[in-house]
Amino acid sequence: MSLRTTLLGACACLALTPAALAQSDAAQPDTDDVIVVTGSLGTFGAMKSSAPILETARSVSVETSYDFISRGALNLSGTLNYTSGVLGEAYGFATRGDFFTVRGLDVPEYRDNLQALFGNYNNTRPDLYTIDQVEVLKGPASVLYGQGSPGGVVNLVSKIAGPDLGQEIVASYGTHDRAELAGDFSTTLIEDTLYARFVGVVRDSDTQVDYVNDDAISLAPSLTWTPGENTEITFLLNYDDRDGDAAGQFLPLTGTYYPGPNGQTIEPSTYLGEPGFNTYETESTALTVIGSHRLNDIFTLEGTARWRDSSSTYRQSWVSFAGTGLPRIDANGNGARTWYDSTASSKQLAFDARVRADFMTGAFEHEVLAGVNYQDVELENARAYQYQGVINVFDPVYGDGVPTQAEFDAVRSVTSGDTDYWGFYLHDQISWGNWIFNAGLRTDDVSNLTAAGPQDDDAVSYSVGLLYAFDNGVSPYVSYAESFEPVIGNDNVTGAPLEPREGEQVEIGVKYQPVGTQTYVTLAYFDITQTNLPNPVALPNAPSQQEGEASITGFEFEGVTTFETALGDLKLDAALTLLDTEDANGLPFSVIPDEQASLWAEFRPTAFDALRIGAGVRYVGERESSGLSLATGDILTIVSDSYTLADLLVAYELEDWSVALNVRNLFDEEYYGSCLARGDCFPGEERTVNLRVARRF
């Protein structure tokens, strides 16, 4: 029996576990001493509601800091490796950013309800130590968030000041001399009124790629003011400075996916950049205000506002691309070099303000949300390319063809854009007995100003859902949701501005939480249709250039349970994803697997209750990438092999101290996050060992 089959079977077994637990009082855990930490949503979370996930007619996953620290995640992508419906590291080991997909699609990254990233390579990567939890809302979310992907959103919840938070210092050291010092310090400045917190991280690290470092400073001080029991305002400052290089080397298919000359292979650690030239430096400063004020028993005012200023310097050299299906290197392993030099910036001013009303109309209980969302984003990128020099991919010798600054400046182009939009939304969640119904409506007006001129788009989005909560803990539901995403430019056929891409989803699922147990299981089937995509190849004479349509159908399972055994407490966390994707040309989505599964087990023995042992296994199926070969004129399909990785945790916890050893990719499996038909491969994360020591006081 294969490990893949075993893992898929384990997910199925966990789905049946709750029934067994519900039938046996002996199997129920002592709720005063459990090891599970279950995430919950707050009013500034992914759903903008504190309603329990069990009462939400949508798929939502929450990864708490306890979860991702236990599993050894070192970046945001790593926190999502055990989340159903999510591919955490689509392009292998990366330092430029977090490249995850949800339900087969790229999705926007939010922080505390406001979008955090815009464009590409113009902002800083968030540091995990400043984050309390990661939330994934799956499927279209335009009613709550406006323009975006039909895949959903990923929302990060920041660590902010508050009462009784304690303090800690954390030191860690790991593979590739990854040294990090972090601290989280909280205090009460005025009793019951003013609280302060300082979260900071300093890291000095090499990586698995030669010459590539990943150093960082992240500071997040905050103040929370509670002048009365009905009012709370938090001021959060985030400063991030990352100094490193691009881990993605765009390794040629020859020598990775295909055998190289004389069977040679390109080592995953190979650096095809230029020491002294390559750099990826980002800096960001953000001020966020999060506030709420309860006016009376019915109405509450809430809002988040943010100002952010970010910049990046990105220089990299790689082996030049020749075109789909054409070799990038010669018979000796030599390839021409491409040089890229860019300085980019991103400026944001945004707010999301809303009124929440909790009231009854007869037997119906309402939670109404009426909000306004504004955002102004300015992007600029001054970039230049040069094409000169040669490098050998099997035995790199550096220094050939390095352009001068004057050569870059002579061909440098500057692109800029300004996006300004308003969104107005209304959402009502209605409870009547065991029935829970929700409906939402939003209108958006988006203005984009680019070098080509202004473009205005507007959209109206809807969502609706129905859930029935049986007394035994079973909650079946059905929901419908929409999304839109502006596309900049004019239709080459009609001459009119391009229409926004649109998405629709129907989701049917069931949530199950047996009464009296620490068990939670969700099952969901969904069908997403995306329209207004570029024309498929089969429609050369279409009446517009946006006749393309894509579809995604899938099944997701997620389950977590904690129970007592004769030897100690055991926690199990399982996820399964099955996807069927088809793009406008009838091909599977690029680098998206049809199958994913994971299982994490954590054990605390009764005889040594200070000891915690965890182990996990995650499987990612084959991924395809297709393109029209310039060599043959036919479709070229590159299939990246499936892979199975194991992770390990050994932790010892005393009253004030904790020591944890994490190993990711325990057996040092060599794999590629993805290989693309355009001609490159991205190695996955190799085995990493990290020792973490924390002192709480």
Side-chain angles (χ1 to χ4, degrees):
M1 181 181 293
S2 69
L3 182 58
R4 165 183 171 274
T5 303
T6 302
L7 187 56
L8 298 178
C11 292
C13 288
L14 183 55
L16 300 177
T17 299
L21 294 177
Q23 293 169 10
S24 172
D25 292 338
Q28 296 182 13
D30 181 355
T31 56
D32 294 330
D33 185 22
V34 296
I35 62 172
V36 66
V37 178
T38 302
S40 60
L41 298 175
T43 55
F44 296 97
M47 292 297 296
K48 301 184 182 181
S49 170
S50 57
I53 296 177
L54 188 66
E55 299 177 4
T56 303
R58 292 291 299 269
S59 289
V60 184
S61 295
V62 176
E63 300 293 340
T64 67
S65 58
Y66 178 93
D67 294 327
F68 55 72
I69 290 173
S70 295
R71 296 166 189 165
L74 299 176
N75 50 56
L76 177 58
S77 293
T79 68
L80 302 172
N81 291 144
Y82 287 86
T83 306
S84 70
V86 182
L87 179 61
E89 296 164 329
Y91 297 97
F93 176 71
T95 54
R96 294 180 298 170
D98 298 287
F99 304 105
F100 44 77
T101 64
V102 180
R103 293 188 169 174
L105 296 162
D106 295 332
V107 298
E109 179 184 314
Y110 279 70
R111 188 156 185 166
D112 303 315
N113 279 169
L114 292 175
Q115 191 167 348
L117 298 182
F118 307 88
N120 297 302
Y121 313 128
N122 56 20
N123 215 316
T124 53
R125 194 178 193 181
D127 194 283
L128 276 191
Y129 192 72
T130 66
I131 297 170
D132 246 350
Q133 68 182 26
V134 179
E135 304 167 345
V136 184
L137 170 57
K138 304 168 191 176
S142 285
V143 163
L144 291 177
Y145 292 101
Q147 61 179 348
S149 164
V153 301
V154 172
N155 182 59
L156 315 183
V157 179
S158 299
K159 291 181 177 179
I160 58 174
D164 305 320
L165 293 176
Q167 305 179 74
E168 73 170 7
I169 296 177
V170 180
S172 62
Y173 183 80
T175 305
H176 306 298
D177 293 325
R178 188 184 195 275
E180 184 173 283
L181 182 64
D184 186 351
F185 308 98
S186 297
T187 188
T188 299
L189 299 178
I190 301 176
E191 189 69 27
D192 298 326
T193 303
L194 188 61
Y195 308 94
R197 186 175 189 177
F198 178 83
V199 180
V201 183
V202 178
R203 181 172 65 253
D204 183 89
S205 177
D206 294 331
T207 69
Q208 68 184 54
V209 182
D210 296 341
Y211 300 102
V212 174
N213 61 312
D214 186 23
D215 305 334
I217 297 174
S218 184
L219 308 175
S222 61
L223 286 172
T224 295
W225 180 41
T226 56
E229 63 179 12
N230 295 323
T231 304
E232 180 173 295
I233 301 175
T234 295
F235 300 90
L236 170 65
L237 176 67
N238 289 98
Y239 174 77
D240 295 279
D241 186 358
R242 300 184 75 110
D243 182 5
D245 195 350
Q249 297 295 298
F250 312 110
L251 302 181
L253 290 176
T254 303
T256 54
Y257 185 81
Y258 299 121
N262 301 316
Q264 290 176 286
T265 59
I266 304 174
E267 294 297 322
S269 61
T270 299
Y271 182 71
L272 298 179
E274 180 67 30
F277 171 80
N278 276 38
T279 189
Y280 188 67
E281 299 176 1
T282 58
E283 185 177 25
S284 175
T285 303
L287 176 62
T288 304
V289 181
I290 306 170
S292 65
H293 175 65
R294 188 168 184 83
L295 297 172
N296 50 44
D297 290 342
I298 295 177
F299 295 105
T300 301
L301 303 178
E302 300 170 352
T304 307
R306 177 175 298 133
W307 167 85
R308 185 167 186 160
D309 190 349
S310 304
S311 61
S312 70
T313 300
Y314 178 22
R315 295 195 298 269
Q316 186 176 4
S317 177
W318 59 80
V319 174
S320 299
F321 287 85
T324 301
L326 299 178
R328 296 170 62 196
I329 60 175
D330 63 21
N332 296 315
N334 295 315
R337 308 184 81 178
T338 293
W339 305 81
Y340 179 69
D341 183 296
S342 164
T343 56
S345 65
S346 170
K347 301 181 188 298
Q348 175 194 25
L349 180 63
F351 68 82
D352 185 347
R354 50 193 180 260
V355 178
R356 185 182 308 277
D358 297 290
F359 59 92
M360 300 286 295
T361 55
F364 297 94
E365 181 180 354
H366 297 262
E367 183 188 44
V368 176
L369 202 62
V372 55
N373 183 196
Y374 171 77
Q375 188 152 263
D376 180 66
V377 178
E378 298 178 11
L379 304 178
E380 184 173 280
N381 191 352
R383 58 189 173 187
Y385 291 89
Q386 288 289 345
Y387 307 91
Q388 54 197 50
V390 175
I391 192 169
N392 189 283
V393 299
F394 302 108
D395 185 19
V397 176
Y398 306 106
D400 186 41
V402 183
T404 65
Q405 192 62 47
E407 289 176 311
F408 278 122
D409 291 341
V411 295
R412 192 176 304 279
S413 62
V414 179
T415 58
S416 61
D418 188 345
T419 300
D420 185 281
Y421 81 77
W422 288 89
F424 301 89
Y425 59 95
L426 181 66
H427 188 272
D428 189 7
Q429 178 147 316
I430 305 170
S431 300
W432 178 59
N434 291 38
W435 291 96
I436 300 173
F437 171 77
N438 67 73
L441 170 68
R442 177 169 174 140
T443 177
D444 285 276
D445 189 352
V446 184
S447 297
N448 283 282
L449 180 62
T450 67
Q455 179 174 319
D456 295 325
D457 293 288
D458 57 73
V460 177
S461 306
Y462 305 90
S463 69
V464 64
L466 181 65
L467 178 147
Y468 186 84
F470 287 97
D471 294 336
N472 62 1
V474 176
S475 299
Y477 69 90
V478 60
S479 64
Y480 169 83
E482 297 178 339
S483 70
F484 81 100
E485 191 171 13
V487 181
I488 306 303
N490 291 321
D491 192 307
N492 294 332
V493 179
T494 66
L498 293 171
E499 296 291 331
R501 293 192 186 102
E502 296 180 347
E504 297 181 347
Q505 173 187 271
V506 175
E507 178 174 319
I508 302 171
V510 62
K511 305 183 180 191
Y512 183 33
Q513 186 171 25
V515 178
T517 70
Q518 291 289 326
T519 298
Y520 179 66
V521 172
T522 64
L523 299 167
Y525 169 83
F526 57 90
D527 188 336
I528 297 175
T529 301
Q530 193 175 20
T531 56
N532 292 342
L533 299 177
N535 290 350
V537 175
L539 287 176
N541 300 310
S544 79
Q545 71 174 79
Q546 289 187 285
E547 302 294 320
E549 181 175 306
S551 65
I552 310 164
T553 57
F555 170 83
E556 294 166 352
F557 161 82
E558 203 164 73
V560 59
T561 184
T562 300
F563 55 92
E564 290 182 359
T565 70
L567 300 178
D569 292 332
L570 179 65
K571 174 186 176 183
L572 298 176
D573 197 334
L576 171 67
T577 305
L578 303 175
L579 283 179
D580 183 7
T581 63
E582 185 175 290
D583 68 13
N585 288 302
L587 300 171
F589 283 11
S590 181
V591 308
I592 300 301
D594 290 342
E595 299 175 338
Q596 285 180 257
S598 64
L599 177 65
W600 175 263
E602 196 171 307
F603 179 67
R604 190 190 295 271
T606 303
F608 304 96
D609 60 358
L611 180 65
R612 195 158 50 95
I613 301 171
V617 59
R618 41 195 167 101
Y619 166 82
V620 175
E622 293 181 343
R623 286 89 61 221
E624 293 187 14
S625 174
S626 300
L628 186 64
S629 173
L630 298 181
T632 66
D634 298 323
I635 294 295
L636 171 67
T637 298
I638 301 295
V639 181
S640 301
D641 290 338
S642 62
Y643 58 87
T644 303
L645 308 178
D647 304 317
L648 179 69
L649 162 71
V650 179
Y652 195 79
E653 300 172 346
L654 300 175
E655 183 177 354
D656 299 321
W657 289 88
S658 67
V659 179
L661 180 70
N662 285 99
V663 185
R664 289 172 59 84
N665 191 2
L666 177 64
F667 301 109
D668 203 18
E669 179 79 13
E670 286 193 11
Y671 68 100
Y672 290 104
S674 57
C675 290
L676 305 180
R678 71 181 187 182
D680 54 341
C681 282
F682 298 87
E685 181 185 27
E686 65 179 27
R687 178 170 56 212
T688 60
V689 181
N690 196 61
L691 180 66
R692 186 180 191 270
V693 180
R695 169 72 163 91
R696 295 180 295 274
F697 51 91

